[in-house]
Amino acid sequence: MSTILITGATSGLGRYVAFELVRSGHVVLAHGRDRQRTERLVAELRTEGEAEGFVADLARLAEVRELGARVAEARPGLDVLINNAGVGGGTPGSGRELSADGHELRLAVNYLAPVVLTRSLLPVLRANTPARIVNVGSAGQEPLDFTDPELTRGYTGMSAYCRSKFALAAHTFTLAEELADSGVSVNVLHPATFMDTAMVRESAVTPWNSVADGAPGVLALATEETGSGGYFDGTRRARAHEETYDPEVRKRLAAVTEQLLTV
């Protein structure tokens, strides 16, 4: 059985997946932003199996790095990371929001945080092969404007969300190449369309699917051998936005990412 860290585990898809994993006998490391909610979740999970909670605000990259360090120290047997936490498109018409570090909020939480957390945990994952990284993406993908990666012009929350998920998919494919033959796989998926979550309801969208509909794809990538560098629609192998496969786009994304993380 695996030791699995899942971010954004206190609600929605993350919560559902956490219970499915712990009931299957896996050790679940549940991340949340709010301490009380995280502690309540862990207490519930422990009625089913082994679980531990970790609290961090993913909009603060220093806290993301600290989260990685704490998990690595507390759970050196970690062999699966599920980057699930995210910020949706927000209330229609709402203005541009910034993270604590001054980054556009959706790019910060949906993209920069998973990059930073993954990097901090790679040494542990490499030590526990076969290991898996699962990035929860979206079919909603929109290419980044590399002259304006923080979307200071023509901002909409949904566009910011789609750009962050485009970046996550492109980064996944680059990372898969870097990790080839390391024993660490990394894949990205669109779990299900418009699941019944707070994120979707806030966007004034009527949910199409339940979180139970989105769970099988995440669970399969977290617990089964599915190769690396793939994009999945649920449990089905699919294609991300064509530009996420473009080597030049991915090279520019990597350069912009390093720039954003060193500011």
Side-chain angles (χ1 to χ4, degrees), residues 23-195:
R23 286 169 183 152
S24 300
H26 299 288
V27 177
V28 171
L29 312 182
H31 156 266
R33 183 177 56 178
D34 179 270
R35 184 167 299 280
Q36 288 185 320
R37 290 180 67 189
T38 305
E39 289 173 353
R40 282 199 302 270
L41 169 65
V42 170
E44 290 180 58
L45 288 170
R46 284 178 174 164
T47 66
E48 308 274 0
E50 187 176 350
E52 184 174 353
F54 293 87
V55 178
D57 182 355
L58 300 189
R60 298 176 182 272
L61 293 178
E63 288 194 29
V64 179
R65 294 183 180 97
E66 289 166 13
L67 171 64
R70 278 187 284 132
V71 170
E73 183 178 7
R75 295 288 180 166
L78 179 79
D79 55 351
V80 180
L81 166 61
I82 304 175
N83 286 308
N84 164 74
V87 179
T91 307
S94 57
R96 185 170 173 271
E97 296 174 88
L98 298 180
S99 73
D101 305 317
H103 295 298
E104 191 280 311
L105 183 64
R106 283 148 186 86
L107 190 71
V109 175
N110 299 351
Y111 174 62
L112 296 178
V115 170
V116 169
L117 184 58
T118 299
R119 284 183 184 176
S120 69
L121 289 171
L122 266 179
V124 179
L125 294 169
R126 284 176 179 272
N128 293 306
T129 56
R132 300 183 178 97
I133 301 164
V134 181
N135 290 328
V136 178
S138 173
Q141 297 163 31
E142 183 179 312
L144 259 71
D145 176 355
F146 290 112
T147 67
D148 186 26
E150 303 251 27
L151 196 53
T152 61
R153 303 186 296 270
Y155 178 89
T156 69
M158 191 53 69
S159 183
Y161 173 82
C162 291
R163 291 180 188 210
S164 71
K165 294 300 187 178
F166 174 94
L168 186 63
H171 170 74
T172 299
F173 305 144
T174 300
L175 184 60
E177 290 178 1
E178 292 173 8
L179 294 174
D181 304 318
S182 70
V184 182
S185 67
V186 54
N187 292 285
V188 59
L189 84 155
H190 167 71
T193 302
F194 296 137
M195 292 178 291

